[in-house]
């Protein structure tokens, strides 16, 4: 039976006949993560995927599925900034192991590239994950990104696929995990000392869950707007993200709509500006959290605010969700300062995310 490649329709609600293909896409995501990592921790639920589609005024999303009869065997996902000056689209692609080497991935990629052209974008940034299976260096040729010291074995299938379709390695991100179980007192003690030092410099901590306090939403939007262009980019083309209070609220709605709890720790400067912040995302019903965006605004660096905000959020995580014993995070391999903070906290590398680009 021929493989059918077609867009995945977005349903009004889950659990209906119209939602079957969308739910199949989420189920496939879990299978792909298990095949790659041996676990499903990085898979998004159907509720989380639908929440992203519903809250898409600033960021667009689309899925394309590969079907063998009634079974989805592969998918491509696209995301893009909706602002008029944006030139890129981000791509993820996966095919079940037993259906590879049949041209399914190439057909999905071609369909995704057509969709990107229809969006009027000229650059595609694609991602592939690679678990660390052993600590010994890989044998044989390796690939290096423009910045950083990490290396990816040239033999991994994603590298050959990328090269065959004209994509270059633009960055390697370190995927790290941290065990937080039993460390509440340690985090709290370190936080108290850091807080005293920050207070002496005029900074103060502000913590919130899910919704940013109204008195801080504009300052938080201003800090978030710096994030996309402030992190090391390697060889990646990154579109500017336009943030205001409305976008902050939209992202909060997406998180709540998808069942995620959001913990935010921010350091406020004496003038009330958000000098630095970090976030923890808690997916519904899981035993871990994701440490996502962390930023210290340039004018406020050198005062330990990155470590301060991370300690504050980790201490709070052990208090409000003691069942979540693991935290995952992603950092550009060349982001030496942020990686040093994470290593000091106890994060250890568990894999790499390769970022590929084609203009």
């Amino acid at each position: 039976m021929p493989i059918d490649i077609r867009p995945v329709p977005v349903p009004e609600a889950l659990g209906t006949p119209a939602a079957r293909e969308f739910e199949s896409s989420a189920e496939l995501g879990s299978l792909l993560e298990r095949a790659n990592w041996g676990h499903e921790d990085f898979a998004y639920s159907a509720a989380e995927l639908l929440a992203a589609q519903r809250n898409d005024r600033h960021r667009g999303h689309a899925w394309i599925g590969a079907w063998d009869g009634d079974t989805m065997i592969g998918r491509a996902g696209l995301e893009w900034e909706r602002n008029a000056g944006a030139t890129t689209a981000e791509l993820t692609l996966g095919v079940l192991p037993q259906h590879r080497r049949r041209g399914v991935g190439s057909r999905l990629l071609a369909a995704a590239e057509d969709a990107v052209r229809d969006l009027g974008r000229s650059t595609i940034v694609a991602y592939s994950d690679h678990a660390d299976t052993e600590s010994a260096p890989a044998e044989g040729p390796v690939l290096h990104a423009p910045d950083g010291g990490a290396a990816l074995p040239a033999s991994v299938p994603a590298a050959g696929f990328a090269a065959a379709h004209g994509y270059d390695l633009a960055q390697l991100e370190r995927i790290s995990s941290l065990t937080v179980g039993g460390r509440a007192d340690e985090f709290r003690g370190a936080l108290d000392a850091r807080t005293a030092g920050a207070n002496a410099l005029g900074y103060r901590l502000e913590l919130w869950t899910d919704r940013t306090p109204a008195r801080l939403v504009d300052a938080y939007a201003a800090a978030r707007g710096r994030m996309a262009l402030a992190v090391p980019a390697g060889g990646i083309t990154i579109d500017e993200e336009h943030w205001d209070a409305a976008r902050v609220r939209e992202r909060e709605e997406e998180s709540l709509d998808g069942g995620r709890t959001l913990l935010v720790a921010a350091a406020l400067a004496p003038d009330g500006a958000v000098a630095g912040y970090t976030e923890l995302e808690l997916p519904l019903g899981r035993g871990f959290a994701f440490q996502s965006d962390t930023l210290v605004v340039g004018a406020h660096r050198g005062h330990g605010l990155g470590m301060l905000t991370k300690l504050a959020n980790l201490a709070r995580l052990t208090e409000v969700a003691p069942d979540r014993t693991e935290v995952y995070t992603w950092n550009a391999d060349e982001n030496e300062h942020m990686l040093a903070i994470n290593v000091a906290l106890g994060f250890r590398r568990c894999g790499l995310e390769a970022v590929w680009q084609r203009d």
Side-chain angles (χ1 to χ4, degrees):
M1 182 177 295
I3 303 301
D4 186 23
I5 308 292
R6 60 179 186 266
V8 177
V10 180
E12 291 291 328
L14 300 176
T16 66
R20 183 182 64 84
E21 292 193 6
F22 193 86
E23 291 169 345
S24 292
S25 179
E27 292 165 3
L28 176 66
S30 294
L31 294 175
L32 291 170
E33 294 296 343
R34 181 160 290 282
N36 196 36
W37 290 97
H39 60 71
E40 300 174 12
D41 291 359
F42 302 151
Y44 286 83
S45 68
E48 289 171 319
L49 295 178
L50 184 57
Q53 298 276 359
R54 286 172 170 164
N55 299 276
D56 66 347
R57 178 183 173 190
H58 294 88
R59 190 163 180 84
H61 306 262
W63 292 97
I64 301 167
W67 293 85
D68 186 356
D70 293 331
T71 303
M72 185 182 284
I73 62 171
R75 68 175 188 176
L78 290 171
E79 294 189 28
W80 62 94
E81 283 293 303
R82 292 195 182 278
N83 70 70
T87 63
T88 73
E90 298 178 34
L91 168 69
T92 57
L93 189 151
V95 177
L96 289 174
Q98 63 269 34
H99 294 282
R100 294 172 187 168
R101 308 285 182 182
R102 298 169 58 189
V104 177
S106 294
R107 291 184 61 196
L108 278 169
L109 179 60
E113 290 174 339
D114 286 344
V116 171
R117 280 190 289 271
D118 290 343
L119 288 168
R121 305 303 165 90
S122 58
T123 299
I124 298 178
V125 178
Y127 300 86
S128 62
D129 279 0
H130 307 274
D132 287 342
T133 55
E134 57 185 14
S135 58
E139 296 181 359
V142 297
L143 300 177
H144 292 278
D147 298 317
L152 183 72
S155 58
V156 300
F161 184 83
H165 292 89
Y167 288 76
D168 296 317
L169 182 62
Q171 190 176 57
L172 288 171
E173 288 204 349
R174 190 185 302 186
I175 306 171
S176 305
S177 63
L178 171 71
T179 299
V180 298
R183 299 184 63 188
D185 291 342
E186 175 191 348
F187 290 144
R188 178 56 61 184
L191 173 62
D192 289 344
R194 290 273 176 176
T195 301
N199 289 347
L201 295 173
Y203 296 100
R204 63 183 178 85
L205 267 175
E206 187 85 28
L207 310 176
W208 64 86
T209 302
D210 293 332
R211 295 189 184 279
T212 309
R215 59 187 168 80
L216 295 177
V217 68
D218 290 326
Y220 189 50
R224 286 201 58 93
R226 298 172 181 263
M227 180 70 195
L229 300 181
V231 297
I236 308 171
T237 299
I238 297 179
D239 288 321
E240 184 178 359
E241 295 182 3
H242 296 158
W243 281 83
D244 56 13
R247 183 162 185 173
V248 170
R249 295 303 186 209
E250 179 183 285
R251 182 172 180 273
E252 292 167 352
E253 287 303 320
E254 177 186 335
S255 181
L256 291 167
D257 197 14
R260 286 196 173 200
T261 297
L262 188 64
L263 303 181
V264 182
L268 302 186
D271 63 358
V274 172
Y277 71 90
T278 191
E279 298 180 335
L280 283 172
E281 300 180 48
L282 283 58
L284 181 65
R286 313 297 289 273
F288 52 85
F290 298 123
Q291 183 176 268
S292 50
D293 286 358
T294 301
L295 174 72
V296 178
V297 176
H300 299 281
R301 291 175 182 168
H303 302 308
L305 301 183
M307 179 64 84
L308 172 71
T309 54
K310 289 191 179 195
L311 278 169
N313 244 9
L314 291 172
R316 187 156 55 128
L317 177 68
T318 62
E319 294 167 0
V320 304
D323 55 317
R324 297 185 186 252
T325 58
E326 202 78 11
V327 176
Y328 294 105
T329 196
W330 287 253
N331 299 96
D333 186 64
E334 65 269 28
N335 194 350
E336 295 179 358
H337 179 70
M338 198 60 70
L339 285 170
I341 295 174
N342 286 343
V343 169
L345 287 168
F347 279 94
R348 296 294 178 263
R349 186 180 123 171
C350 58
L352 290 172
E353 182 174 62
V355 188
W356 313 89
Q357 180 163 313
R358 197 189 80 171
D359 297 317

